[in-house]
């Protein structure tokens, strides 16, 4: 399993948002995104997919959790996506990464509890200003479920003696 601290850089994403418990909204959002891709003739692999779990279910309630199924967009694709989908910039910053292999279904069930069960490394804490980002490395339309991989990236910030300290990133 690949794990550790990573820095995600900002870039533009087109998204479909579904509100509700993560165990149902994740699949619903991706179903809508794949339908849009098929409708617009994007049947070849689109590269990585990005899932943004925006809310802590314990704070907003499961029914109010927002999940965005996202794909990266380039300048030529952005105009078409902007007319029918939402556009957002991936929230940059440090994240802890955990590689999940063997299918995407376990991610749906673990996402709801991740905010309350996440235990960061010493000197780090959960940064609830940014969403939990799942980077889907494989296209589920092209591979068997047992071959699918995803990186679950939990946003963190450095803390020292209980005070937030900015994370220094080398250029």
């Amino acid at each position: 399993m690949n794990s550790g601290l990573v820095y995600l850089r900002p870039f533009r994403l087109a998204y479909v948002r579904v509100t509700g418990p993560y165990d149902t909204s994740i699949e619903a959002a991706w179903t809508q995104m794949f339908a849009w891709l098929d409708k617009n003739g994007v049947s070849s692999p689109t590269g990585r997919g990005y899932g943004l779990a925006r809310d802590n279910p314990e704070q907003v309630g499961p029914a109010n959790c927002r999940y965005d199924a996202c794909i990266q967009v380039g300048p030529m694709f952005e105009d078409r996506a902007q007319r029918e989908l939402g556009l957002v910039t991936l929230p940059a910053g440090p994240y802890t990464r955990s590689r999940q292999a063997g299918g995407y279904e376990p991610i749906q069930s673990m996402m709801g509890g991740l905010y309350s069960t996440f235990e960061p490394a010493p000197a780090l804490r959960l940064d609830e200003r940014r969403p939990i980002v799942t980077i889907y490395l494989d296209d589920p339309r092209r591979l068997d479920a047992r071959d699918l991989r995803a990186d679950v990236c939990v946003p963190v910030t450095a803390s020292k003696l209980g005070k937030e300290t900015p994370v220094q990133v080398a250029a």
Side-chain angles (χ1 to χ4, degrees):
M1 173 185 294
N2 282 338
S3 62
L5 191 64
V6 296
Y7 185 89
L8 299 181
R9 298 197 180 279
F11 51 85
R12 296 292 281 170
L13 297 168
Y15 71 90
V16 170
R17 177 171 291 162
V18 174
T19 302
Y22 290 130
D23 60 348
T24 58
S25 64
I26 293 173
E27 183 177 352
W30 283 108
T31 297
Q32 289 179 37
M33 177 59 81
F34 285 132
W36 186 87
L37 291 169
D38 291 342
K39 180 182 100 176
N40 285 279
V42 186
S43 59
S44 64
T46 59
R48 295 179 173 172
Y50 297 84
L52 307 182
R54 295 196 166 274
D55 301 296
N56 180 341
E58 292 181 4
Q59 292 178 355
V60 302
N64 297 316
C65 289
R66 298 166 296 155
Y67 180 84
D68 299 342
C70 310
I71 56 167
Q72 190 169 358
V73 292
M76 291 176 34
F77 189 59
E78 191 168 327
D79 280 344
R80 188 172 9 163
Q82 186 172 3
R83 289 190 299 269
E84 300 176 33
L85 305 173
L87 289 175
V88 67
T89 299
L90 181 74
Y95 291 78
T96 62
R97 178 186 67 188
S98 172
R99 172 73 46 93
Q100 307 293 314
Y104 295 153
E105 284 186 21
I107 294 170
Q108 292 173 255
S109 59
M110 83 178 210
M111 196 57 62
L114 197 52
Y115 280 96
S116 61
T117 62
F118 176 69
E119 294 184 22
L124 296 177
R125 66 179 180 85
L126 177 66
D127 182 356
E128 290 197 42
R129 298 171 298 174
R130 293 180 285 138
I132 294 174
V133 177
T134 303
I135 303 171
Y136 297 94
L137 302 171
D138 303 301
D139 187 335
R141 301 175 298 176
R142 307 265 183 250
L143 294 176
D144 189 80
R146 70 176 180 268
D147 297 324
L148 298 174
R149 302 163 301 139
D151 288 339
V152 177
C153 301
V154 180
V156 293
T157 187
S159 63
K160 184 175 181 181
L161 301 175
K163 296 180 181 175
E164 185 177 322
T165 305
V167 174
Q168 300 297 318
V169 179

